[in-house]
Every structure is written in C-alpha cells, then in structure tokens.
Amino acid sequence: MEKLWNLNYTKVWWANFMIFFSFMITTPLLPLYMGDTFAADKDTIGLVLSGYTLTALLARPFSGYIVDSFSRKAVLLICYFLFFAMFAGYLVAGSMTLFAIVRTMHGAPMGATAVANSTMAIDVLHPERRSEGIGYYGLSNNLATAFAPSVGLWVYHTTGSYDFIFIIALIAAGIGFAINTTLQVPKRAVALNKDPISLDRFFLLKGWRLAICMACLAFGYGVISTYLAVYGKEVLGMTTGTGLWFTLLCVGLMSSRLVGARSLRRGKALQNASGGMLLSLFGYLAFAAVHNQWGYYGAALIIGWGNGHMWPAFQTMFINLAPNNKRGTANSTLLTAWDTGIGFGVLTGGALVEYAGYSSAFWAAWIVNVVGVFFFFVAARQHFLLNKLR
C-alpha cells in the first residue's frame, strides 16, 4: 500500500497545525480582551468577531477558484504570508475601531490560506490513501484547538499580557509559513478556465445541500465557542475552565478521527457523517439543558466525538462530488458553509446573550443543529448518493 505520511503531506499537516494554533490561541480570549481593553459590551463583541468570519466567508469562493486556476504552491505562500503578517496588526491597534478593522481584514487571508493548504494536502496524498488522509489531516486542527487555548489562557493568567499572546500567534504563523516554503511538489500544468464566468466556478453547485447542513451545524459551534469563557465566568463561576473545555473537545475530536479515518478508507463517509451529527446534536442539547460543570464539560467531549466523525466525512463527500480540477472549489464550498454558520452563530449569539441571556442563545444553537440534521436525512443524503463521482 502507498505511504500515507509522505514528506509533503507531513509538512502541510504541520503548517495547518500552525494556522489553527495561531488562530485558536487568541480566539477564547478576544471577548475578554475587548471587554477589558475597550469596555466593549457583548453585542459589540459579537459584531466585531463576526466581521472576521464575514471576510473569511467572502474570500473562500474566490480562493477556491484561484487555487484551481494558478500554481497552488504560489497561491498558498502568498495567502499564508498575509495571514501571518496580519497578526502584527493586533499589537498596534490602539482603539476599538482599529482593532475591529484589523480583525475584520484578517479573515480574508485566513479563509484563503485554509482552502489552499487543505487542497495542497489532498494533492500530495496518493489516491488510495486520500479519504484516510483527509481524516488524519483534521487531527492537526484538533491538536491545535486542544493545545492553543490552554496555552493562551495559561500565558494570560501568568503574565496578564494580551500582547504576549498576540506575539506567540505571530511567531506560530511565521513557522507555518516557513514550513510551506520547503514544499517540493511537481509543477502543475495551469490552464485558466475559458468557460464563461458562472457560479459553479466559485461554488460547488452539487454540494449546496451538504453546504446547508454544514452551515446549520457550524451555527451552534459559533455560539458556544465565542461565549464559552464569558459564560463559564459569569454563570458557572469558573475563571479557568475554558482551557479544559477545549481540551476535552479535542480529546473527543482526535479519538473519533482516529477511528473514523479507517471507516472512511472503507468508503463509509455517509455512516460517519450520520453518526457524528447525531452525537453532536446530543452534545449541544446537554450544553443548553444542563447548567453546571457536568453539562459544560460533558458537552465538550460529546461534541468533539460527533464533529470528529462528521467533519472529515463531509469533506470526503464534497471532494467526491467534484472533478479533480475543482478540488479547490469543493474545499472552499465546505469552508464557506462552515464560515457562514459560524458567522451567523457569533452574530445571533451576541444579540441573544445581550438581550435574552445565555440560555436562549444555547437553545437556539441546538435548534439550528436539529434543522441541519433533519435536512441531511431528508434531502442531502440521497442527493449525494445519486451524484457522487467516486
């Protein structure tokens, strides 16, 4: 059997780890940072953080097209450098307005870099190991998500300095960029698509049903992950619980990905997606209904188990709906759907928390997840079976 962990795949795996490490080391602390530094209320926090997601969302479809049309390594390096450089803006933003501008602008290179890096990972995998490799690729996100928030919270509680956290994020992104400069990939024949401009060049039209499901599933994560630290502090009286929550989430993510990767190799993407969505749904229910540490931490583990099965299965299905010359578009469509859900979750969650309380926001997260799961079983599942290419 062909080797899975070839040198190029290992490099893009670690580069992806650095993308999400640099992103996640700041994410749980940004609501506290804006409140402490700029006295921002929860509605303003939600609005500012959703700006990042909005620009990432706008960049995704175009980055997919660009990745499919030009040298993938060149596109990856340009996007990754911009993603790295934007962290310096957090260090010099001295007002709420400047911070909002920098944070919003940062979304575009983040969105494009994630598309380019994941497409490169698919390219350097042997076809026989591709589905399995997609599952293991996501472990880099999971490890970063488990490790980075704990590091960020520890650094903050030790030093009391938000700037030091931004410096660590800048260095981590720089390391990821440096790793990708060493990629040795054969030159790919580049031929711009001469067909008339159409939506299908920027969005995988066959994947719209799966995209709706993914957006609904992301909504809940957008609500919970953004207001997790503030909720734990204000409602449950926990000042250091966020790091453990993300650690438990990623224990679930990693354990389910390790099991799920073998199932994907045997062509069981639909089964993985179905089971993962139902597990996640139960986790969001626990978080909304049980307002104590059992509900708080138990939900993290269950959501992790569910998402660890669901995410690589959905990515495999998107890739299986697309011809080889539209892998970038397939990846960007998946990530666009995720960004859309996250953005609406952050924005809606901020308004609900501000005017109706945490409970209403978390119940809304669960209800939207119910809609996504229902739509998958009613419409998206059968459509995939009828239209998959491989």
Side-chain angles (χ1 to χ4, degrees):
M1 183 175 288
E2 294 293 333
K3 186 177 180 180
L4 172 63
W5 292 92
N6 63 67
L7 184 58
N8 282 320
Y9 177 69
T10 303
K11 287 177 179 178
V12 294
W13 193 97
W14 279 108
N16 193 57
F17 175 88
M18 292 302 173
I19 294 171
F20 284 89
F21 180 90
S22 57
F23 174 68
M24 289 304 302
I25 197 173
T26 63
T27 295
L29 285 162
L30 288 180
L32 298 175
Y33 169 72
M34 286 187 283
D36 291 345
T37 307
F38 305 118
D41 60 29
K42 296 179 184 67
D43 202 18
T44 301
I45 291 170
L47 185 63
V48 171
L49 294 183
S50 66
Y52 176 97
T53 308
L54 177 62
T55 53
L57 169 65
L58 293 174
R60 298 284 199 200
F62 298 101
S63 57
Y65 171 68
I66 292 169
V67 164
D68 285 336
S69 301
F70 298 95
S71 166
R72 283 181 179 159
K73 182 178 177 181
V75 172
L76 172 59
L77 292 179
I78 292 169
C79 294
Y80 211 129
F81 178 79
L82 293 173
F83 169 71
F84 149 70
M86 286 299 296
F87 278 110
Y90 296 158
L91 293 166
V92 299
S95 67
M96 187 68 206
T97 301
L98 272 178
F99 179 83
I101 291 170
V102 171
R103 181 66 180 172
T104 299
M105 290 175 61
H106 202 177
M110 168 61 177
T113 303
V115 170
N117 205 76
S118 60
T119 305
M120 181 65 77
I122 293 166
D123 279 350
V124 299
L125 282 165
H126 190 275
E128 290 181 7
R129 310 301 297 271
R130 189 164 290 144
S131 294
E132 185 183 10
I134 288 171
Y136 286 122
Y137 179 78
L139 283 173
S140 56
N141 305 15
N142 303 154
L143 284 168
T145 304
F147 190 45
S150 299
V151 171
L153 290 162
W154 178 80
V155 169
Y156 174 68
H157 289 301
T158 302
T159 66
S161 171
Y162 291 108
D163 281 353
F164 193 43
I165 295 166
F166 296 146
I167 290 170
I168 295 173
L170 178 69
I171 292 171
I175 291 171
F177 171 74
I179 290 171
N180 271 342
T181 62
T182 67
L183 285 172
Q184 298 292 327
V185 293
K187 283 197 172 182
R188 171 174 163 264
V190 176
L192 286 175
N193 194 330
K194 303 299 183 182
D195 295 334
I197 295 292
S198 65
L199 182 60
D200 200 39
R201 289 168 65 178
F202 304 99
F203 184 90
L204 187 67
L205 295 180
K206 284 185 179 180
W208 73 265
R209 290 170 179 82
L210 291 175
I212 288 176
C213 298
M214 183 56 78
C216 290
L217 299 169
F219 180 94
Y221 188 76
V223 173
I224 288 178
S225 63
T226 303
Y227 298 98
L228 188 71
V230 184
Y231 165 72
K233 181 178 179 181
E234 294 185 357
V235 177
L236 302 182
M238 301 186 304
T239 57
T240 58
T242 308
L244 179 57
W245 194 93
F246 278 104
T247 300
L248 289 171
L249 175 80
C250 292
V251 167
L253 283 165
M254 289 184 285
S255 59
S256 62
R257 278 187 185 269
L258 289 171
V259 174
R262 292 192 292 271
S263 299
L264 287 175
R265 190 170 66 192
R266 296 194 296 268
K268 295 185 176 181
L270 278 175
Q271 292 90 325
N272 280 19
S274 302
M277 286 189 298
L278 293 172
L279 272 172
S280 294
L281 189 62
F282 182 72
Y284 286 112
L285 177 62
F287 196 92
V290 184
H291 297 161
N292 57 34
Q293 291 191 18
W294 286 101
Y296 187 84
Y297 291 122
L301 191 60
I302 297 167
I303 292 169
W305 280 332
N307 280 12
H309 280 297
M310 176 194 75
W311 238 102
F314 265 79
Q315 188 168 18
T316 299
M317 288 190 288
F318 271 96
I319 295 299
N320 288 348
L321 286 172
N324 291 341
N325 65 347
K326 288 190 176 180
R327 286 176 186 162
T329 301
N331 271 322
S332 70
T333 302
L334 169 70
L335 293 168
T336 296
W338 182 258
D339 286 342
T340 301
I342 291 284
F344 276 111
V346 171
L347 196 57
T348 306
L352 287 172
V353 166
E354 184 72 20
Y355 300 111
Y358 291 104
S359 182
S360 64
F362 299 148
W363 277 113
W366 180 74
I367 290 168
V368 174
N369 265 258
V370 170
V371 172
V373 173
F374 178 78
F375 188 76
F376 178 82
F377 285 105
V378 169
R381 189 176 184 277
Q382 187 62 29
H383 180 267
F384 170 76
L385 289 172
L386 293 174
N387 290 275
K388 64 179 182 176
L389 300 178
R390 57 185 73 86

